[in-house]
Amino acid sequence: MKDTSSIGILTVLTGPSGVGKGSLVKKILERHNEIWLSVSATTRHPREGEKYGEHYFFFDQKEFKDLIEKDGFLEWAKFAGNFYGTPKKEVCQKLSNGNKVLLEIELEGARQIRKSFPEGVQIFIAPPNLEELEKRIRGRGTESEESINARLNRAKKEMQAMNEFDFVIINDDLNKALLKLEETMKLI
Ligand code: 5GP
């Protein structure tokens, strides 16, 4: 088991699409303003209401590849047909200033961070089961059938990897999962 005194430096939150990571992150940020959430870059198109620089930096393929070439990402991965990555500069600045940094990323990215930041804490958010996950993704109404299938296939792979993580939290009930997350991150 990892030395939990390192909790609060760099925390990685991973889990299948639709598991409710976004809702958990939103609540954690509302309740703990000492946490800084990294804003990722993606080539995915914005969903309704999503804002550049707040939800993501929406890049085209060229902008994304340019930043890869400039070694500007801490990690990056392809997910359901699009690229996603964590811009390096601001995360490193925040960490060196002693901030608590949170990354909300998928499995391949979490694996890369595990190598570059072995002292970071990695938490996997799991759904109660795959049927519930499918219901949540469909209920969100934001994805095409193709994207839903890609996300469900990826979810199966991610669930098989949950034992790689330091902690697993099952998101059956949002408030209970939030409490567990706060305990795990030593926020309460
Ligand atoms: P969505 O398209 O639903 O916003 O995100 C799809 C998946 O990409 C989610 O599992 C999310 O955690 C992940 N993701 C978001 N930003 C990043 C990132 O910077 N790097 C990686 N590797 N995954 C990310």
Side-chain angles (χ1 to χ4, degrees):
M1 181 62 66
K2 190 163 279 186
D3 169 15
T4 52
S5 63
S6 63
I7 286 179
I9 310 295
L10 179 72
T11 304
V12 171
L13 219 58
T14 297
S17 172
V19 76
K21 285 171 297 180
S23 310
L24 279 170
V25 166
K26 194 165 169 263
K27 292 226 172 214
I28 278 276
L29 294 178
E30 276 166 14
R31 288 159 67 116
H32 304 278
N33 57 16
E34 71 272 29
I35 297 176
W36 181 79
L37 174 72
S38 165
V39 178
S40 299
T42 183
T43 58
R44 155 165 97 54
H45 292 301
R47 294 182 185 133
E48 210 180 311
E50 283 185 334
K51 292 197 188 101
Y52 183 93
E54 187 181 320
H55 297 91
Y56 281 107
F57 296 106
F58 295 100
F59 283 5
D60 61 27
Q61 300 262 347
K62 186 180 178 311
E63 287 171 314
F64 200 97
K65 285 187 177 153
D66 281 351
L67 201 54
I68 294 176
E69 268 161 35
K70 286 185 192 141
D71 195 26
F73 287 115
L74 269 187
E75 60 72 36
W76 63 271
K78 202 167 183 194
F79 180 96
N82 291 299
F83 291 102
Y84 294 80
T86 305
K88 194 183 264 182
K89 204 169 137 195
E90 224 181 343
V91 171
C92 292
Q93 267 169 6
K94 294 281 175 187
L95 285 173
S96 61
N97 289 344
N99 291 96
K100 292 183 177 183
V101 171
L102 185 62
L103 306 185
E104 192 257 274
I105 60 178
E106 54 67 69
L107 177 64
E108 294 305 328
R111 285 177 169 156
Q112 293 169 45
I113 296 290
R114 209 173 290 154
K115 285 193 188 138
S116 47
F117 289 90
E119 72 283 15
V121 172
Q122 300 223 336
I123 304 172
F124 190 89
I125 310 293
N129 53 58
L130 281 171
E131 291 72 33
E132 176 62 26
L133 188 74
E134 178 166 0
K135 215 160 79 188
R136 289 186 199 170
I137 298 179
R138 288 190 183 281
R140 210 157 64 175
T142 52
E143 308 303 320
S144 65
E145 194 60 29
E146 193 187 350
S147 171
I148 291 173
N149 288 329
R151 282 162 191 265
L152 286 172
N153 284 334
R154 186 71 168 236
K156 286 177 197 151
K157 279 195 197 132
E158 296 203 335
M159 301 270 287
Q160 283 162 5
M162 70 169 113
N163 291 340
E164 294 174 14
F165 286 75
D166 301 313
F167 300 94
V168 175
I169 295 175
I170 297 173
N171 186 13
D172 205 351
D173 172 283
L174 187 64
N175 285 326
K176 283 188 193 151
L178 178 65
L179 206 63
K180 280 215 175 117
L181 184 58
E182 288 178 312
E183 280 166 11
T184 308
M185 292 177 74
K186 299 240 160 112
L187 298 168
I188 50 171

